[in-house]
């Protein structure tokens, strides 16, 4: 493992932040104080973080309805995110977007997206911007196994190849689209789809940060070097329901318990880096504590933050009208 | 006659029609749920808000078809199946997703019959949820019935209560044209008495939920309830309203609307959809053309502003028309006196 | 100042803006044409009707991008590129194809800024052909601007002449919001004097193509010309008309329309789009609410009927509003006397 | 070649009818009397006919903007078609559809289609009808190389596999979508796409009726037997421009001349069947003459046929309204 220490600590912190953010949201959602739909990324942290570890603010990502993890991995602050999810004026979208629409274009985060398959076309365009503006950046579309069946996603694979733009298509395959298994809904397979649209296919274990980090590095390098797009297929699992409130009757009773016990990317990470002598347990403990405080503070602040003002309703529909 | 929720009324309409006619099938994302899942539980969801629950168990996987997340293909498939002998009821989940499949609705299903010189029948129903009030934000809260109403070849239904929903959905399923059936997601738990037996409510026949002398209110879907509440309050101040629920925006019962406006001379239209080119403008234009002489006051429209639907509760509340806004609009037209009279 | 066709005016606007700003790029199906062909000829088409001809030669393949036939992906790509530093002009060819990419327009580009709390700019132009009169039948002849007008976050331009097209398109390209720019395919060979230098025409400012005392006519796109022809004829019979070309349906210059109706008291609206929830209803509703006192006659709408566009010439001619129908509508409102006065 | 004589003569007649119909339209279009857009199928006859030779009226097909050939192959009469293209009331769609919308549902012809990618979703539905109604029929979507990039097409491949319906997806690959070559616009390849969506891939030479006939037979049999969908990739070429009026500057000067000289499916057919002693030259000549007369009669009749009546404008928007 040839990974710089600061990447390791940053990535762990990022994964831990996502985990705590999501676990806390799960608790807070149950209080009834969080409005709207909330889709948790818990369990999938290594994917977003392993990919984004290769990106800077110049690079662009587009996310999904399950977007909190990608946002945090791309550097969006948890204070602004939490406030947004609570519908506060201090939210990163001023309370007008909510969980499904968190975005920060200054960080290259082109938005969570309430529309399945909404992101891949946008990423073709962001990649085109990077190519045209010659800024050396890449654009990454995260999308789920379910989204891999949307026409907009499939068209985008072809378009990115035809244009030979620096795009990476990251299929986060958690085996479900809502309550339907990928084994039912995804005919064929992602590998042949990549070939069918003329791009290389990479595959990795999404429970293992190092597997993601390494493979994503290759896929992103391929794109960044001007060789056109690549597909990265990440195998992972979500630990909660499709959205908060989902009783998950379609999953085996012990499925999530097993995942938590055996495939926790944070536990995996700790075992590996401590085992290899790259970081100490205490380094990670320090991060854990810091993150815990950060999330607590974010929730407290969000709950206290002022609500949007009436005049906000009519603001920002247009730049000018 | 039993108390049933809006959800139950729709479920019952589907069930009874599926019992009656083996060609009626359902399809959509997670209309059953559980396929490919590890628990083996079938009918795990029965629709994202449980509306189609139980139908898989009763009718089996050949008649309740879960689909991949690919609206263009399965809505198109529903159109193709309708043109070749089945009577599909396809669920689009949120009507906002029409952006992913509009072609199959607008250019295929809606136009077959005309383009083909009358030689096609497309008995297709597309069910979808619409409306704000769920903090579901800009991409999951639109009303969009004006889009469908604009398109010749489609029929568009916006039921206002459980009773209406059952009768209109059965009618939709038996209808031989493509029908868009829109369910306000905030109303699923609303209850009222609904007959147990199947019944139909014809399209293009408005329902007068109350009759009055002073002001006509035309309202759509969930707004009918708000209009009635406003009318209750206004009654106390001596302003008596007719409230019209057109039930279907296409066909529209123009005659009833015109008759009522000819009586009251004053009109308020309540429409939850975005204000430009919507049903409020449609009805206003109808009346300004065909009941002009009867009009004693400007036609007032109560609609959301021209913005996407905001997420935060405070903003969303401001966004959706409510009883207060309707009341204020009615008062203003009731109080209006044309200059000549003044 | 040279005589230029509608086609040339659009081409020139694109060329001049591409010269001015390297971030302006074009994309669409066969906007150049010839990629992958066996002759090696580039710019083989320059758009299906030759509107973008020559731009590839001048600006190269990095700025004039042919796309696969996949509207959702490339219209979405245009939105994504716009949000990340470019100023794309994407061509949808026929506006009817919006059914294949509405989501990227309606739920993505149009809503970014609002959903993201004001933190996005999406300087995107989508050009598309609209309109009947080409025997292109039901799937290639729609107008559809009401759909776009209905959607908050979009601006919608419907130019009525070569001069208008050039100035409005340059404005659209420089605008920081998503703009739908609709070109009536029957008008490409229309000619008039168009300045050689770049110029802009602001959005939301209607153009009065003529002023009169008796009747206000509001017309859109190609219908402006028909309205002017009708006004010419009516003039001879002593009926003098104001003709308003709103230029943009969103934003709409409500003030000018209301001012004119306040003067004339009579209004006819001419709209080539399907009649339900269209611009004719939109303007009628505006006036029936805000210029009610001034109205001396019913508001008449001249629109096609509620049918898909037919193929055969005889039927298509009946379908599209024409000078005769406008004339008849104006005469009827001019002759109208309210009962009290009668 | 194990093909019954009546299939041979019927197929030859069908191909000849398409050829003459289209060559005649090319001439008539130039007179200016034919309104609207006309896309000619000339040169591609063996594909539509080779596929439809395996179908009966119970089977369903969906076609494209280039639909005349499929219509004729499926049995739609040339009189009604010609009248339709001329916009006459006796047209198969009463003059309201025109070239791009010819349909006859009583023959299982679900329509030409002005929307690229419009047909494949419909065919998923038709195939579902066949499966549900257990009528033993299959549904076939014809579409071009260009249409193979539309999201609606790609989604349909997946949906048909997931539902395991008797659908066959026939990619008529003439190398161009309008003025753009498939080598530019189609990244990857159809074979991997078929695999990517979980269905078998068949491939054939569209200039050779027998290649199409045989391969289509296998693909259709696969579907008809209940094994789910199949893809049939037909390599062929169009002899005219994308639509009438296209100067084809994007094609090499001699490209079409060569195709006509060396890859004419009618010439190929004649050579093979006569060579193998299956039919006599005179059999084919008789057909040629009969078809020539039939097309002539169709044009004469169409030109004389009455136009639609004013009242037709408002008819058939709905069954009831
Ligand atoms: C176009 C569209 N169709 C359907 C939905 C409803 N929906 C939201 S998330 C989801 C499942 C997505 O599954 P997947 O892509 O695998 O992502 P995951 O939820 O597993 O992260 C669905 C069907 C939607 N939001 N947009
Ligand atoms: C959705 C849509 N996009 C674009 C068009 C315009 N168009 C008509 S035919 C065509 C080319 C189709 O190419 P292909 O599928 O290869 O069929 P071919 O013309 O070669 O038979 C295009 C782009 C259309 N009709 N519909
Ligand atoms: Mg998933
Ligand atoms: Mg082709």
């Amino acid at each position: 493992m040839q990974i710089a220490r600061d990447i390791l600590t940053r990535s762990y912190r990022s994964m831990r932040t996502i985990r705590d953010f999501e676990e806390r949201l799960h608790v807070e959602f149950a209080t009834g104080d969080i409005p709207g739909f909330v889709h948790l990324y818990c369990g999938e942290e290594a994917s977003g973080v392993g990919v984004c570890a290769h990106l800077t603010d110049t690079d662009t990502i587009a996310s999904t309805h399950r977007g909190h993890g990608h946002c945090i991995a791309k550097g969006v602050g948890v204070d602004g995110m939490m406030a947004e999810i609570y519908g506060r004026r201090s939210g990163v979208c001023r309370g007008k977007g909510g969980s499904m629409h968190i975005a920060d274009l200054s960080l290259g985060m082109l938005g969570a997206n309430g529309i399945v398959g909404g992101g891949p076309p946008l990423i073709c365009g962001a990649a085109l911007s990077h190519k045209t503006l010659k800024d050396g950046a890449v654009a990454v579309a995260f999308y789920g196994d379910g989204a891999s069946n949307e026409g907009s996603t499939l068209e985008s694979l072809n378009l990115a190849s035809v244009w030979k733009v620096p795009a990476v298509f990251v299929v986060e395959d958690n085996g479900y689209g809502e309550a339907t298994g990928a084994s039912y809904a995804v005919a064929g397979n992602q590998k042949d789809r990549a070939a069918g649209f003329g791009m290389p296919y990479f595959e990795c274990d999404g429970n293992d940060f190092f597997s993601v980090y390494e493979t994503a590095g290759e896929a992103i390098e391929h794109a960044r070097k001007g060789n056109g797009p690549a597909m990265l297929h990440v195998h992972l699992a979500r630990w909660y329901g499709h959205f908060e409130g989902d009783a998950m009757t379609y999953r085996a009773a012990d499925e999530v318990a097993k995942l938590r016990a055996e495939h926790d990317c944070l536990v995996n990470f700790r075992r590996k880096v401590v085992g290899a002598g790259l970081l100490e347990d205490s380094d990670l403990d320090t991060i854990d504590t810091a993150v815990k405080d950060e999330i607590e503070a974010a929730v407290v602040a969000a709950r206290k933050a002022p609500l949007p003002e009436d005049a906000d309703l009519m603001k920002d529909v247009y730049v000018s009208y | 006659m039993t108390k049933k929720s809006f959800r139950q009324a729709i479920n019952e309409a589907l069930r009874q029609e599926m019992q009656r006619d083996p060609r009626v099938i359902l399809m959509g994302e997670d209309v059953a749920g559980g396929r490919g899942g590890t628990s083996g539980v079938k009918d795990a969801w029965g629709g994202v808000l449980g509306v189609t629950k139980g139908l898989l168990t009763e009718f089996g996987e050949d008649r309740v078809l879960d689909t991949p997340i690919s609206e263009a293909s399965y809505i198109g498939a529903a159109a193709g199946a309708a043109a070749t002998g089945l009577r599909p009821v396809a669920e689009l989940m949120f009507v906002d997703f029409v952006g992913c499949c509009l072609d199959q609705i607008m250019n295929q299903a809606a136009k077959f019959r005309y383009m083909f010189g009358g030689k096609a029948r497309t008995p297709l129903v597309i069910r979808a949820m619409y409306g704000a009030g769920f903090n579901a934000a800009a991409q999951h809260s639109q009303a969009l019935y004006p889009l469908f109403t604009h398109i010749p070849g489609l029929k568009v239904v916006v039921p206002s209560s459980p009773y209406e929903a059952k009768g209109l959905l059965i009618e939709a399923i038996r209808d031989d044209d493509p029908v868009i059936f829109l369910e306000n997601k905030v109303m699923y738990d609303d209850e009222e008495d609904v007959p147990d037996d199947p019944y139909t409510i014809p399209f293009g026949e408005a329902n007068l939920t109350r009759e009055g002398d002073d002001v006509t209110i035309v309202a759509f879907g969930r707004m009918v309830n708000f209009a009635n509440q406003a009318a209750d309050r206004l009654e106390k101040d001596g302003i008596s309203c007719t409230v019209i629920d057109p039930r279907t925006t296409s066909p529209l019962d123009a005659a009833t609307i015109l008759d009522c406006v000819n009586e009251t001379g004053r009109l308020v239209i309540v429409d939850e959809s975005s204000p430009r080119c919507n049903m409020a403008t449609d009805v206003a234009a109808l009346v300004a053309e065909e009941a002009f002489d009867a009009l004693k006051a400007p036609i007032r429209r109560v609609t959301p502003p021209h913005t996407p639907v905001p997420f935060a509760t405070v903003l969303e509340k401001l966004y959706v028309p409510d009883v207060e806004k309707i009341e204020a609009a009615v008062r203003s037209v009731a109080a209006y006196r044309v200059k000549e009279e003044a």
Side-chain angles (χ1 to χ4, degrees), chain A, chain B:
Chain A
M1 277 177 292
Q2 297 288 359
I3 311 185
R5 188 186 161 90
D6 70 310
I7 293 185
L8 288 177
T9 52
R10 214 183 326 125
S11 296
Y12 181 78
R13 183 175 181 124
S14 203
M15 291 198 294
R16 171 58 69 196
T17 306
I18 298 171
R19 174 70 53 87
D20 284 17
F21 191 90
E22 300 289 73
E23 293 283 17
R24 182 64 178 265
L25 274 185
H26 179 71
V27 172
E28 298 297 333
F29 189 89
T31 67
D33 291 343
I34 294 181
F37 291 106
V38 169
H39 305 80
L40 300 181
Y41 193 68
C42 219
E44 310 189 7
E45 297 85 350
S47 174
V49 173
V51 170
C52 291
H54 298 280
L55 307 180
T56 74
D57 290 356
T58 321
D59 298 307
T60 310
I61 69 167
S63 173
T64 69
H65 56 288
R66 199 175 302 290
H68 307 157
H70 305 132
C71 292
I72 291 171
K74 196 69 174 43
V76 183
V78 292
D79 286 346
M81 286 178 59
M82 194 63 85
E84 186 60 35
I85 292 166
Y86 272 89
R88 306 293 159 150
R89 196 159 201 254
S90 55
V92 58
C93 302
R94 301 183 152 267
K96 290 162 89 167
S99 165
M100 267 194 291
H101 304 298
I102 297 178
D104 191 336
L105 278 86
S106 67
L107 298 169
M109 167 61 205
L110 199 41
N113 211 313
I115 300 296
V116 170
L122 302 173
I123 280 308
C124 290
L128 181 65
S129 285
H130 295 316
K131 186 182 174 187
T132 307
L133 301 171
K134 299 189 172 57
D135 60 11
V138 299
V140 178
F142 290 98
Y143 60 97
D145 47 292
S148 80
N149 300 320
E150 273 284 358
S152 55
T153 304
L154 297 163
E155 287 187 359
S156 297
L157 299 178
N158 188 58
L159 179 65
S161 276
V162 168
W163 280 352
K164 221 180 169 192
V165 286
V168 178
F169 296 93
V170 180
V171 194
E172 294 189 319
D173 188 345
N174 60 15
Y176 292 97
E178 293 187 349
T180 297
S183 64
Y184 171 75
V186 182
N189 60 81
Q190 307 297 342
K191 185 175 183 180
D192 286 319
R193 293 184 186 187
F197 297 109
M199 67 181 72
Y201 172 81
F202 300 88
E203 189 172 24
C204 64
D205 174 2
N207 298 317
D208 175 6
F209 169 80
F210 299 97
S211 171
V212 177
Y213 181 81
E214 211 168 295
T215 325
E218 291 171 40
I220 290 169
E221 200 191 358
H222 172 90
R224 212 186 279 285
K225 281 195 169 152
N227 301 316
M231 182 189 286
L232 174 63
H233 186 178
V234 187
H235 300 276
L236 38 66
R238 64 167 152 83
W239 287 5
Y240 285 106
H242 169 63
F243 44 33
E244 287 306 274
D246 173 11
M248 288 202 282
T249 50
Y250 48 90
R251 298 179 83 169
D254 58 346
E255 188 172 313
V256 172
K258 262 202 187 142
L259 289 166
R260 285 189 180 263
E262 295 165 22
H263 298 290
D264 183 330
C265 60
L266 283 161
V267 172
N268 281 346
F269 185 97
R270 184 183 281 258
R271 191 182 327 110
K272 284 207 182 174
V273 292
V274 175
L278 295 168
L279 293 174
E280 308 281 307
D281 265 319
S282 61
D283 297 327
L284 301 174
D285 292 344
T286 309
I287 293 174
D288 288 354
T289 311
V291 168
K292 194 160 175 265
D293 294 347
E294 194 185 359
I295 300 297
E296 175 66 27
V299 172
V300 170
R303 285 183 168 278
K304 276 202 303 224
L307 297 172
E309 294 166 10
D310 287 4
D312 291 340
L313 178 65
M314 302 300 297
K315 273 191 197 145
D316 293 323
V317 183
Y318 297 91
V319 176
S320 64
Y321 195 64
Chain B
M1 200 84 137
T2 351
K3 272 230 180 314
K4 285 167 196 148
S5 69
F6 196 68
R7 176 187 289 105
Q8 287 167 327
I10 293 167
N11 184 284
E12 187 166 277
L14 293 170
R15 202 173 65 243
Q16 291 177 340
E17 284 306 287
M18 291 181 79
Q19 286 166 347
R20 190 185 60 81
D21 185 346
R23 294 168 304 163
V24 177
I25 59 162
L26 301 192
M27 60 175 76
E29 295 159 18
D30 293 296
V31 286
R35 298 289 299 250
T38 46
S39 70
V41 171
K42 292 187 173 186
D43 204 17
W45 269 21
V48 72
L49 295 183
V51 176
T52 47
K53 190 83 190 161
L55 299 175
L56 177 86
T57 312
E58 180 165 350
F59 300 102
E61 288 176 355
D62 288 346
R63 293 185 63 200
V64 180
L65 290 104
D66 275 329
T67 69
I69 310 173
S70 50
E71 291 77 11
S73 67
Y74 81 77
I75 294 291
T84 55
L86 298 179
R87 305 186 75 87
V89 181
E91 180 183 305
L92 184 51
M93 200 180 305
F94 292 85
V95 72
D96 313 67
F97 306 161
V98 68
C100 300
C101 57
L102 180 65
D103 183 72
Q104 291 291 332
I105 300 173
M106 173 174 82
N107 286 330
Q108 311 297 336
K111 294 184 172 45
F112 282 164
R113 188 169 179 80
Y114 196 79
M115 294 192 301
F116 300 166
K119 292 185 185 159
R121 262 168 210 262
T122 312
L124 162 68
V125 179
I126 298 175
R127 291 179 46 239
M129 289 186 273
Y130 80 95
F134 235 64
N135 298 96
Q139 295 175 337
H140 287 72
S141 304
Q142 296 165 91
L144 296 185
Y145 40 83
L147 255 65
F148 300 111
T149 306
H150 180 66
I151 299 169
L154 299 180
K155 294 175 178 172
V156 186
V157 188
V158 191
S160 62
S161 79
Y163 173 84
E164 295 286 320
K166 180 173 174 184
L168 288 165
L169 183 51
I170 292 180
E171 177 78 11
I173 294 170
R174 296 183 189 177
D175 194 281
D176 275 340
D177 291 307
V179 178
I180 311 293
F181 189 90
L182 297 173
E183 303 163 13
N184 193 306
K185 60 177 87 71
V186 178
M187 289 169 59
Y188 279 125
D189 293 321
D190 289 4
E191 291 193 340
E192 73 179 342
D193 282 336
V194 175
D196 297 329
D197 286 337
Y199 58 94
T200 58
I201 299 175
F203 290 171
E205 292 189 15
N207 184 31
L208 299 194
T209 63
R210 59 198 297 146
E211 294 184 55
D213 301 322
D214 301 320
V215 177
T216 299
I217 309 178
V218 175
F220 297 91
R222 181 179 175 219
M223 297 299 118
V224 174
N225 307 320
F226 291 0
N228 280 318
Q229 288 173 46
D232 282 342
R233 296 198 198 171
L234 290 157
E235 191 82 60
K236 293 180 191 132
D237 291 342
I239 301 176
S240 95
C241 296
T242 291
V243 175
I244 303 180
D245 171 6
R247 290 174 166 152
T248 53
T249 64
S250 182
L252 180 72
D253 185 352
T256 298
I257 295 171
L258 294 170
D259 283 352
C260 292
V261 175
N262 280 325
E263 302 263 317
T264 62
R266 297 166 201 272
L267 173 63
V268 168
I269 312 159
V270 192
D271 181 353
E272 184 178 343
S273 68
S274 269
R276 303 294 314 282
C277 300
N278 69 355
M279 278 309 299
T281 72
D282 192 80
V283 172
L286 169 76
V287 169
E289 182 151 8
E290 299 191 22
F292 176 75
D293 274 352
L295 279 178
K296 296 182 215 153
I299 300 171
R300 288 288 307 271
R301 290 164 287 152
V302 184
T303 74
H306 184 66
T307 76
V309 184
F311 166 67
T313 308
V314 280
L315 297 181
E316 199 185 28
K317 281 220 173 97
L318 278 179
Y319 175 90
V320 190
D322 59 21
V323 177
E324 286 68 35
K325 284 180 203 132
I326 299 169
E327 207 188 319
V330 172
R331 283 187 198 282
S332 85
V333 301
Y336 190 89
R337 296 290 171 267
V338 284
K339 278 181 201 139
E340 294 84 51
E341 298 181 33

